[in-house]
Amino acid sequence: MSNTSYPDISRAKSAELFEKAKQYFPGGVNSPVRAFKSVYGTPLFIERGDKAHIWDADGNEFVDFCCSWGPLILGHNNAQVREAVTAQLGKGLSFGAPTALENELAELILSNNKYLEKIRFVSSGTEAVMSAIRLARGYTKRDKIVKFEGCYHGHSDSLLVKAGSGLVTFGETSSAGVPKSFADETIVIALNDEKALQTVFEQFKDQIAAVIIEGIPANNGLLIQTKAYINFLRQITKDNGALLIFDEVITGFRLGFEGAAAYYDIQPDIITYGKIIGGGMPVGAYGASKELMSCISPDGNVYQAGTLSGNPVAMSAGIAALNILAQPDFYTSLAATTATFVQAIQEYTEQHGYELNIPTIGSIFWFAFTTNTEIRRADQIDPASMEKYKVMHRELLNRGIYMGPSGYEVGFISAAHTEEDLEKAKKAIFESLDIVFG
Ligand SMILES: *Cc1c(COP(=O)(O)O)cnc(C)c1O
């Protein structure tokens, strides 16, 4: 045991940049979680990344397990992605007209995914989900949607809702500026609760357009659902004429080309993508059967558009990335690396009697400061345990390991993480845990 804290890394430049940023942006950031509100210190301003490493404005180097919140499954500055993007840059940034690149990326996606027949590209996960909801409403001619507490689906109005009290409740807005009348169309229930689903469909018979769930909920801890539950969800939606939307913005191309749909072997009605699909550039997509997608304009009357949708530079990054991911054994090898890494940490915590459980799937892992090994619902997470993560996060940064700045965030391992990177991380994690539990 070495339970002495390391000295804090220098953040002088980051702090200076942050002060300036606060003059320009609310909270000094362009996306709230980046503000480091849940951990110690000012946010680090990142200057560059290469493979699994990032460097901040003060020259500190880190092994990165945030990976831009998931998109960078190949790590930073991947040579093939960089070359594809560079080649496209010389041909133009945007035309607002179709390009062959869109066909190429679509073919890569559709020919490797038996759960989809047609897709539409957009520019973010939020946009993909927002469009999927509109499609579900347009197709079913119903208005209500059901979401789960602990699942994040981007920041569109219908989805910025949280559960009220009670088994089945209309959502309460989780952001100012969302009209109550919008939140009234969204019903929020707990994950892993068949009774709640049954009650929803009894209470709102013939009113529910869709139920939306994260393929594997990974935005509020990693809440891996059972196959039995997801099967039940599939059946009850089908029986009630409601669509099932799998939000695979994280799990898509993370667990494999067929994401969580293949993990459960379930046919969702609509699937949404983001993050990895653009190889690090802003791309999202939603897809479904030909029949459902024929409702989308210009074929159908569900309107959805985008000036920069299918952007050629972003498409070229996505194509380069997905071509690498499509290689045999890519996913099995990355999952095996992750499993070995997590197992070593789990063994260490068991040997020392530390209250830490590490749910993992594919190349995703989460530090859950609990002994509960079957954590499947948001209300099973003890908010007080986040204090432990806060300490761990500081100790890890001081040892050159960069994790998401909140204990609710999962970690990602990329194909660029080397044995050496992971050994360094393990040692840092062991030492940090000694301090957390010391
Ligand atoms: C990140 C995420 C979103 C939102 O995507 P953005 O690109 O940030 O708009 C939606 N759903 C899930 C499951 C996500 O993880």
Side-chain angles (χ1 to χ4, degrees):
M1 272 216 216
S2 57
N3 44 5
T4 33
S5 293
Y6 275 29
D8 284 333
I9 49 169
S10 161
R11 300 195 197 193
K13 289 249 169 61
S14 281
E16 198 183 307
L17 288 165
F18 190 46
E19 282 314 305
K20 204 165 228 184
K22 281 197 259 184
Q23 297 170 18
Y24 305 138
F25 315 116
V29 289
N30 286 300
S31 196
V33 73
R34 296 181 194 169
F36 269 42
K37 289 257 188 194
S38 307
V39 292
Y40 296 103
T42 56
L44 302 178
F45 279 62
I46 305 302
E47 220 163 66
R48 69 184 182 98
D50 191 55
K51 304 201 167 63
H53 297 239
I54 50 175
W55 287 263
D56 71 10
D58 290 280
N60 300 304
E61 179 180 352
F62 305 93
V63 180
D64 181 18
F65 289 91
C66 180
C67 298
S68 190
W69 305 93
L72 301 183
I73 193 170
L74 297 170
H76 299 268
N77 195 23
N78 174 273
Q80 278 133 293
V81 175
R82 184 183 65 240
E83 279 156 24
V85 168
T86 311
Q88 183 55 39
L89 290 178
K91 298 182 191 167
L93 299 183
S94 179
F95 310 109
T99 64
L101 294 165
E102 290 148 86
N103 289 357
E104 201 181 330
L105 184 55
E107 189 177 349
L108 250 172
I109 293 165
L110 295 175
S111 65
N112 286 295
N113 190 330
K114 67 170 183 280
Y115 302 96
L116 289 176
E117 289 180 344
K118 272 194 179 180
I119 56 170
R120 167 66 64 84
F121 289 121
V122 293
S123 299
S124 72
T126 294
E127 216 186 326
V129 173
M130 184 185 78
S131 310
I133 299 280
R134 186 177 303 139
L135 169 57
R137 286 173 164 158
Y139 178 80
T140 60
K141 302 187 173 60
R142 298 172 176 183
D143 288 341
K144 292 207 185 314
I145 56 169
V146 178
K147 86 172 278 289
F148 297 91
E149 189 70 8
C151 284
Y152 178 69
H153 302 292
H155 68 89
S156 66
D157 284 340
S158 302
L159 293 159
L160 283 184
V161 287
K162 58 180 187 228
S165 52
L167 183 67
V168 171
T169 56
F170 289 120
E172 290 173 14
T173 63
S174 60
S175 163
V178 176
K180 189 182 170 301
S181 56
F182 284 33
D184 283 349
E185 303 297 345
T186 304
I187 299 150
V188 185
I189 59 173
L191 286 159
N192 193 40
D193 186 341
E194 294 188 5
K195 183 83 201 338
L197 269 178
Q198 263 164 345
T199 310
V200 161
F201 280 104
E202 280 159 19
Q203 219 164 308
F204 300 100
K205 201 162 174 43
D206 302 331
Q207 295 176 57
I208 296 167
V211 178
I212 182 164
I213 189 167
E214 276 184 70
I216 310 275
N219 271 290
N220 186 76
L222 183 60
L223 306 172
I224 301 170
Q225 302 299 296
T226 65
K227 239 172 215 179
Y229 176 70
I230 300 295
N231 271 315
F232 180 82
L233 173 59
R234 175 64 284 186
Q235 196 57 47
I236 199 166
T237 42
K238 191 177 268 175
D239 292 346
N240 286 277
L243 302 185
L244 176 59
I245 305 174
F246 261 25
D247 180 356
E248 301 232 36
V249 170
I250 284 191
T251 46
F253 311 99
R254 172 59 63 178
L255 300 183
F257 272 68
E258 294 177 321
Y263 172 74
Y264 298 117
D265 193 20
I266 288 251
Q267 174 68 59
D269 297 298
I270 308 176
I271 310 181
T272 58
Y273 298 99
K275 301 200 166 102
I276 293 175
I277 197 173
M281 297 287 285
V283 180
Y286 61 101
S289 65
K290 283 180 190 157
E291 185 206 347
L292 263 164
M293 292 304 279
S294 72
C295 297
I296 300 293
S297 54
D299 280 353
N301 57 7
V302 175
Y303 189 72
Q304 187 273 308
T307 302
L308 293 171
S309 291
N311 175 267
V313 182
M315 293 290 109
S316 66
I319 293 163
L322 266 50
N323 268 318
I324 300 173
L325 304 184
Q327 284 163 14
D329 295 334
F330 179 88
Y331 287 104
T332 43
S333 147
L334 191 55
T337 302
T338 307
T340 307
F341 177 72
V342 167
Q343 200 184 344
I345 304 167
Q346 195 71 77
E347 275 166 14
Y348 187 82
T349 64
E350 277 160 21
Q351 278 162 16
H352 292 76
Y354 296 159
E355 272 197 10
L356 178 72
N357 177 45
I358 316 168
T360 180
I361 185 163
S363 46
I364 313 174
F365 65 90
W366 176 49
F367 293 124
F369 287 90
T370 169
T371 48
N372 186 351
T373 55
E374 294 214 340
I375 191 157
R376 307 200 192 281
R377 292 168 52 137
D379 60 5
Q380 290 173 320
I381 305 173
D382 176 10
S385 69
M386 295 303 154
E387 280 306 307
K388 294 198 174 74
Y389 183 82
K390 201 171 157 179
V391 173
M392 183 180 188
H393 187 266
R394 180 189 61 202
E395 294 301 327
L396 287 176
L397 276 185
N398 291 345
R399 288 167 175 77
I401 307 298
Y402 190 92
M403 299 262 177
S406 152
Y408 291 96
E409 302 298 342
V410 297
F412 297 103
I413 293 188
S414 78
H417 282 82
T418 63
E419 190 108 340
E420 198 189 340
D421 294 329
L422 296 174
E423 279 307 314
K424 180 182 170 178
K426 261 192 285 187
K427 182 166 178 285
I429 289 166
F430 295 167
E431 289 176 6
S432 303
L433 289 173
D434 291 345
I435 289 165
V436 169
F437 291 101

